[in-house]
Amino acid sequence: MPTVVDRPAQRYVAERATLAIPEFPRIADRLPPLIGGLAARGVTPAGPPFFRYRVLHPGMRFTVEAAVPIDGEFTPDEPAFLDELPAGRYVLDTYVGAPDGLAAATASVLAWGEAEGLVWDRREGPDGEEWGGRLEVLRTDPREEPDPTRWVTDLLFRLDR
């Protein structure tokens, strides 16, 4: 059952791409180099990596960021960049299973929120639906748990109010 949680602002290092679901490995594959780049410079991640969905474009395309949370100052090498998740109230739901079930899990959380009368931090922009905070937090390291049916992902959606 989804819950509403308060989250502080969180700095992160990321790379961004606009792509369709079949192309998703192109952005997902950026996480290991991001983490490796941080480690090479002595920076420990401040939590698990995540995907931040910035824009949902018409035709099932997304502008999404592969991101690693950090504490403190850091200047990444391009094409990586530094950004910050906004503080606020978020709906949290935990999904266990392979990535191909995330779309249905997301739809379920969004339907729950609508039924509860929640208002999401999203608006229509020139390129599609823009989200202030829509995340998939990867709590399972695939190197430690190779079975994707056992992967744990937190779904987080920022509320507008």
Side-chain angles (χ1 to χ4, degrees), residues 81-135:
F81 58 90
L82 187 64
D83 205 342
E84 183 174 276
L85 289 171
R89 295 179 34 201
Y90 286 74
V91 168
L92 165 67
D93 195 38
T94 299
Y95 166 76
V96 178
D100 61 1
L102 284 167
T106 295
S108 177
V109 174
L110 294 174
W112 174 85
E114 299 291 334
E116 293 292 314
L118 301 177
V119 178
W120 307 112
D121 179 7
R122 69 178 173 191
R123 60 205 39 79
E124 285 302 318
D127 296 324
E129 188 177 84
E130 299 173 352
W131 282 78
R134 180 176 174 153
L135 313 173

Side-chain angles (χ1 to χ4, degrees), residues 134-155:
R134 180 176 174 153
L135 313 173
E136 293 173 356
V137 180
L138 311 174
R139 292 188 25 209
T140 304
D141 184 335
R143 296 170 302 178
E144 295 173 8
E145 176 52 72
D147 180 358
T149 65
R150 298 175 65 174
W151 292 355
V152 179
T153 305
D154 284 339
L155 303 174

Side-chain angles (χ1 to χ4, degrees), residues 13-25:
V13 174
E15 289 189 24
R16 181 180 298 146
T18 298
L19 40 74
I21 290 291
E23 303 168 289
F24 203 85

Side-chain angles (χ1 to χ4, degrees), residues 16 20 27 29 41 53 59 62 80 96 101 110 138 146:
R16 181 180 298 146
I27 192 68
D29 290 346
R41 294 174 65 189
Y53 291 83
F62 310 92
V96 178
L110 294 174
L138 311 174

Side-chain angles (χ1 to χ4, degrees), residues 57-78:
H57 301 269
M60 294 300 294
R61 293 185 60 77
F62 310 92
T63 298
V64 63
E65 297 169 353
V68 181
I70 63 166
D71 290 326
E73 294 300 316
F74 179 74
T75 303
D77 295 328
E78 291 185 12

